[in-house]
Each structure stands twice: as structure tokens, then as C-alpha cells.
Amino acid sequence: MSYDPTTDKTFTLTNDQTGESVKLPVYDGTEGPSLIDVQKLYSQTGHFTFDPSFTSTGSCMSGLTYIDGEKGILRHRGYNIADLAEKSSFMEVAHLLLYGDLPNKEEKENFEHEITYHTMVDEQVNFFFRGFRRDAHPMAIMCGVIGALSAFYHDSLDINCPKQREISAHRLIAKVATLAAMTHKYSIGQPFMYPRNDLSFSENFLYMCFAVPAEPYKVNPILARAMDKIFILHADHEQNASTSTVRLAGSSQANPFACVAAGIASLWGPSHGGANQAVLEMLDKIQSVDRIPEFLARAKDKDDPFRLMGFGHRVYKNFDPRASVLKTSCDEVLEDLGINDPRLELAMELERIALEDPYFVDRKLFPNVDFYSGIILKAMGFPTSMFTVLFAVARTVGWISQWKEMIEEPSLRIGRPRQLYIGPTEKQYVDLDDR
Ligand code: CMC
């Protein structure tokens, strides 16, 4: 990044035991909290910082995404997420994240053409799929096949070559959709559908997921628009767990396909991208409105591991702006499809009761993006096990844009956190016969 943070501010840290002080530089970004630069803390004081789940740690400088969790703001390269979801397309947002600004007409056409012409995957990948059990979780397959792309595309693995980096970014954005659709087809025992270059990214994705060779398939424009919106809303989210995983993997100069596979593994967990699947499973367990109090009581019970899935966020402490957009989209899709899903009624009632409950109010626990996305995706015909895969299709844009930004940073060094060692001190080795 070319941004030069201000360095005239300092933060003084004093050791209460020795009285010794150090002045640490303080950096201002363009928005958001300032950061104290602790890079020289160890050499100056012999101390590390301790922040195991990174609640107070900035790991990089980035110009992609800005979040203000208190105000419920999410912006990509300065543009509000609600405007992007309403007015642009997923491909425009991909261009925005990857190249820094919304494309003009010609750039948009070129970019869409570029992505479209990378949607096919090496035919050999079909055989790779056949090694998986049909009942494998789609995310397990995705971890494998995305990582395996580095075995197929040797000509774009040199991370020091800007052109190769760009080709691998385009390949990932394009092929992750094809592979996600193949994963769905494989799990339901239907033939793979080859991509169609006359369709938009989201239309093509729905086509590859739901068409069959035996009959014509017409993409429903309302569903295609809803799919595109879901992709836009999930495209990037600053330094979340999976993005930080991609960056850390990439900091060792691993190839981008391997890095994104690492991101997919991190996304899979129910505290992160796996939550959309968990929301539907939770609603199915609750079953009816009269059982909501029982489940709310469980969510509040510290001895019960149950949490209200789709509620709460590490950063958003007011509302999740993505959830607001999706709530409206959810209504539109269900109305268009004429679906009267009792789960939606249940979800709305759960949301209403939870938002009036002091436990959730005091802890600022609001519905997050996953609370609504699951309901729309179910209505579209996706099985719950595919929900996190769809998140991965969208987030690949963010992962690869963040990876590109990091690789282009001249001062890139391998990420290497330290620790507070709490194991035994030195012991004498005991011979096997004496143990
Ligand atoms: N249900 C019940 N209690 C909760 C919940 C929940 N969903 N989320 C947080 N809490 C409580 C938690 O028990 C704690 O209470 P106390 O202060 O009394 O100990 C307090 O709220 C703070 O929680 P935390 O675990 O310190 O918060 P966190 O920032 O570490 O966790 C979270 C954030 C998203 C992992 C968590 O809210 C959660 O598990 N939510 C459910 C899973 C979910 O919906 N995840 C999707 C996140 S959005 C999509 C994405 O970014 O991937």
C-alpha cells in the first residue's frame, strides 16, 4: 500500500515494576481507531503483547474494506454496502475489490469477459471429484479441489510475477463457482453442467447448480439477482478469521490456490461461515414458536454450549448492515417463489423475542448476515450443506484481493506470532526403562 501513516503521535507505555518507559509510534488510518505500533516492543523491552483472539490487534494496513461495528457501517473502497448491493453487480464489486475502483463500461465488459473465459476447469478435475464419497460434506470437497488447482495451473504459480498473480486471481474467482456447482451436482448424483458464457456470473452459477442435460433451464431473474446480492454481501469483510488465514498462509509465499484452500478450511467453522447452515439446523430443531423460550433459555445458560446461531458478531455491536439488506431480499424471494416457509415466521419471531430480551440487548447481540441468508438459499433449492460453499464462492473475491494487496506490499515478511509459554521448564531426559 502506498498510504503513509502519520508517525508524529506516540503512546507511552510504562513498566510498573521497573518504571522504565517506551514511546511507541501511533498511526492514523483514513478512518477508524488509531493503531499503536508494537513492532519494536520486544527489542526495546523484552516483552511480547498478548491478544490471542486478536480483539485489539491490527495485523496489516489495508485499503479494501472499512467496518465501524458501533455504527453498523460496512464500506468497500469507500462505497457503502447497501448501495453496492442495490446498484452494482457481483462482478463490479469483484473489480472494485481487486483493482481499487468500480469499473467503467469498457473495464466492466473486459473484466466480465476475462472471468467468464476462466470458468471451465481442467477436464482432469472431474476424475479428482470421483475420489470423494458422494456423502462427503461439500466444504470438505471444496478444501480439496481448490487446493488441487495448484496441481493443474502451473503457469500461474509464480507469486513474484504480477501477470501470473492476476491470472490466478481471475482463475480463482471464476473456477470456484464452477467447482462449487460441481460439488453440489456430485453430492446429488447428477451430471456436471459445463459453464455457459452467455450468462452472467450469478445466472451461470444457478444454471450449473440446477440445470440438467435432459431439459432446457431458464434462469429466474429474481433468483439470479438475489444470488448476486448474496455474493456481493459476502464478498469481503476486512480481517476476519478466514481472510487472516489466507494472509498468514500467503505471507510464507505459498501459492494463491493453496492460500484460498486454507481460507475455505477456516470459513467452514460454525462460528464463521458455517453459521448459515447452523441457523437452518437450529430452526429445524426449534420447530415451533412456542418452543422459542426453551431455546432462548439454553442460549443464555452458561453451562449449555448452545448459542443462538446467526446472532452476535465480533465487530458489529449495533446491527449487521448486510443483514438489513438480506432481510428485504429474503421477503422478495419468498414472495416471488410463493413460498410460505414456516421457518421464516419462526425466524422472525425468534428475532423479535431475542431483540427484546435483556441478555441479548445488554450484550449487543443482533441478527447477523447468516441469519437471513440461510432462509433465502433454502428457498432457492440449495441443501443446507451447500450454504457455506456459497459463502466461499463470494469470499474468494475478498480473499484473493486481500492476498494481492499483501503480496504487493514491498515490506512483506512472513507472519510469525509468538506465545506465552506455560509448559514445564527444563527436565532431565528419562531413559525408557526408567519411566
Ligand atoms: N448466543 C448466545 N450468547 C451469545 C451469542 C449467541 N449467538 N454470541 C455471543 N454470546 C454471548 C457470549 O456467551 C458472551 O456472554 P458473556 O459476556 O456473558 O460471557 C457474550 O455474548 C460475548 O460473546 P463472545 O463469545 O465473547 O463474542 P465473540 O466476539 O467472541 O463471538 C461470534 C462472536 C459471532 C463467534 C458469536 O457471537 C457467536 O458464536 N455467534 C453465533 C455464530 C454465528 O452466528 N456466527 C456468524 C458470524 S457472522 C458471519 C461471519 O462473519 O462469518
Side-chain angles (χ1 to χ4, degrees):
M1 268 207 77
S2 56
Y3 184 71
D4 187 16
T6 57
T7 49
D8 53 340
K9 290 188 191 168
T10 52
F11 190 99
T12 303
L13 203 64
T14 306
N15 184 328
D16 285 340
Q17 273 69 52
T18 63
E20 180 195 356
S21 292
V22 277
K23 274 194 196 320
L24 300 166
V26 171
Y27 299 144
D28 289 329
T30 45
E31 285 189 272
S34 305
L35 268 75
I36 303 166
D37 180 348
V38 294
Q39 289 181 91
K40 296 211 172 104
L41 188 71
Y42 178 61
S43 62
Q44 287 177 349
T45 69
H47 289 78
F48 295 137
T49 56
F50 185 61
D51 187 16
S53 45
F54 309 121
T55 41
S56 299
T57 295
S59 59
C60 61
M61 284 187 207
S62 177
L64 270 76
T65 294
Y66 174 68
I67 300 177
D68 182 332
E70 299 300 325
K71 295 190 185 136
I73 290 174
L74 167 60
R75 293 190 209 121
H76 296 314
R77 307 267 193 196
Y79 296 100
N80 265 315
I81 191 66
D83 286 340
L84 292 172
E86 205 46 54
K87 297 171 188 167
S88 75
S89 68
F90 180 54
M91 282 298 97
E92 284 176 75
V93 172
H95 186 285
L96 174 70
L97 287 166
L98 205 52
Y99 297 111
D101 215 339
L102 289 167
N104 61 28
K105 277 188 188 155
E106 194 190 340
E107 288 164 339
K108 180 172 180 283
E109 222 169 84
N110 289 343
F111 184 67
E112 284 175 351
H113 177 86
E114 191 61 34
I115 298 301
T116 303
Y117 281 83
H118 277 299
T119 47
M120 279 204 330
V121 288
D122 189 302
E123 195 63 11
Q124 196 72 11
V125 173
N126 293 353
F127 302 106
F128 190 79
F129 263 88
R130 298 212 174 103
F132 288 105
R133 285 168 55 135
R134 294 266 176 196
D135 62 354
H137 192 287
M139 282 298 275
I141 299 183
M142 288 298 281
C143 288
V145 291
I146 298 293
L149 291 180
S150 44
F152 291 95
Y153 300 102
H154 298 148
D155 59 343
S156 61
L157 296 183
D158 180 359
I159 64 149
N160 297 310
C161 168
K163 189 68 204 161
Q164 292 199 28
R165 287 203 297 267
E166 184 172 45
I167 294 171
S168 55
H170 292 168
R171 280 182 168 151
L172 271 158
I173 294 170
K175 293 184 200 307
V176 75
T178 310
L179 292 168
M182 288 170 80
T183 301
H184 173 55
K185 287 296 192 190
Y186 188 75
S187 68
I188 56 173
Q190 286 186 2
F192 298 137
M193 297 299 290
Y194 288 101
R196 265 182 49 191
N197 289 355
D198 59 321
L199 299 175
S200 74
F201 184 91
S202 295
E203 287 170 343
N204 180 47
F205 181 66
L206 291 176
Y207 166 80
M208 290 189 293
C209 285
F210 297 120
V212 286
E215 55 190 63
Y217 175 80
K218 200 169 170 318
V219 182
N220 176 333
I222 293 185
L223 296 197
R225 181 67 196 129
M227 189 76 256
D228 211 62
K229 246 185 214 183
I230 290 178
F231 286 152
I232 292 172
L233 294 172
H234 289 82
D236 191 50
H237 212 229
E238 209 225 53
Q239 307 311 320
N240 55 83
S242 56
T243 303
S244 298
T245 303
V246 170
R247 277 187 178 259
L248 194 55
S251 77
S252 75
Q253 311 205 7
N255 76 70
F257 301 106
C259 296
V260 168
I264 290 179
S266 169
L267 184 75
W268 191 358
S271 295
H272 194 4
N276 51 14
Q277 172 177 346
V279 169
L280 257 277
E281 288 166 357
M282 174 187 77
L283 292 175
D284 284 342
K285 255 192 227 148
I286 300 178
Q287 279 181 345
S288 61
V289 169
D290 56 303
R291 294 188 65 201
I292 291 176
E294 178 195 326
F295 281 84
L296 281 186
R298 285 188 58 194
K300 294 190 262 182
D301 180 355
K302 293 287 161 223
D303 298 325
D304 189 329
F306 175 79
R307 279 190 166 197
L308 216 50
M309 299 316 287
F311 270 76
H313 198 274
R314 170 60 64 81
V315 182
Y316 294 122
K317 299 298 173 199
N318 186 334
F319 68 96
D320 180 341
R322 303 166 301 171
S324 315
V325 176
L326 266 194
K327 191 176 176 178
T328 316
S329 189
C330 190
D331 292 342
E332 283 166 13
V333 168
L334 295 184
E335 197 188 318
D336 180 69
L337 293 178
I339 289 179
N340 196 2
D341 191 338
R343 270 177 297 213
L344 186 64
E345 198 194 322
L346 186 58
M348 296 306 126
E349 192 56 11
L350 180 63
E351 180 195 16
R352 192 189 64 76
I353 299 176
L355 290 180
E356 286 173 0
D357 189 307
Y359 174 93
F360 291 90
V361 175
D362 294 349
R363 287 168 182 75
K364 300 184 174 172
L365 301 171
F366 294 88
N368 58 49
V369 68
D370 290 319
F371 190 69
Y372 301 103
S373 63
I375 295 165
I376 307 185
L377 296 173
K378 190 81 195 159
M380 283 178 167
F382 287 105
T384 44
S385 59
M386 274 296 289
F387 292 179
T388 315
V389 172
L390 302 179
F391 195 154
V393 171
R395 188 55 59 85
T396 296
V397 162
W399 290 330
I400 202 64
S401 303
Q402 298 261 359
W403 173 84
K404 178 175 171 281
E405 180 181 59
M406 181 188 73
I407 297 290
E408 286 169 0
E409 174 73 59
S411 58
L412 171 67
R413 292 174 76 197
I414 188 167
R416 176 55 168 94
R418 300 305 299 268
Q419 61 172 9
L420 182 67
Y421 176 68
I422 53 165
T425 52
E426 187 176 11
K427 284 180 173 177
Q428 288 303 314
Y429 183 80
V430 183
D431 287 333
L432 187 58
D433 291 344
D434 300 331
R435 279 178 234 156

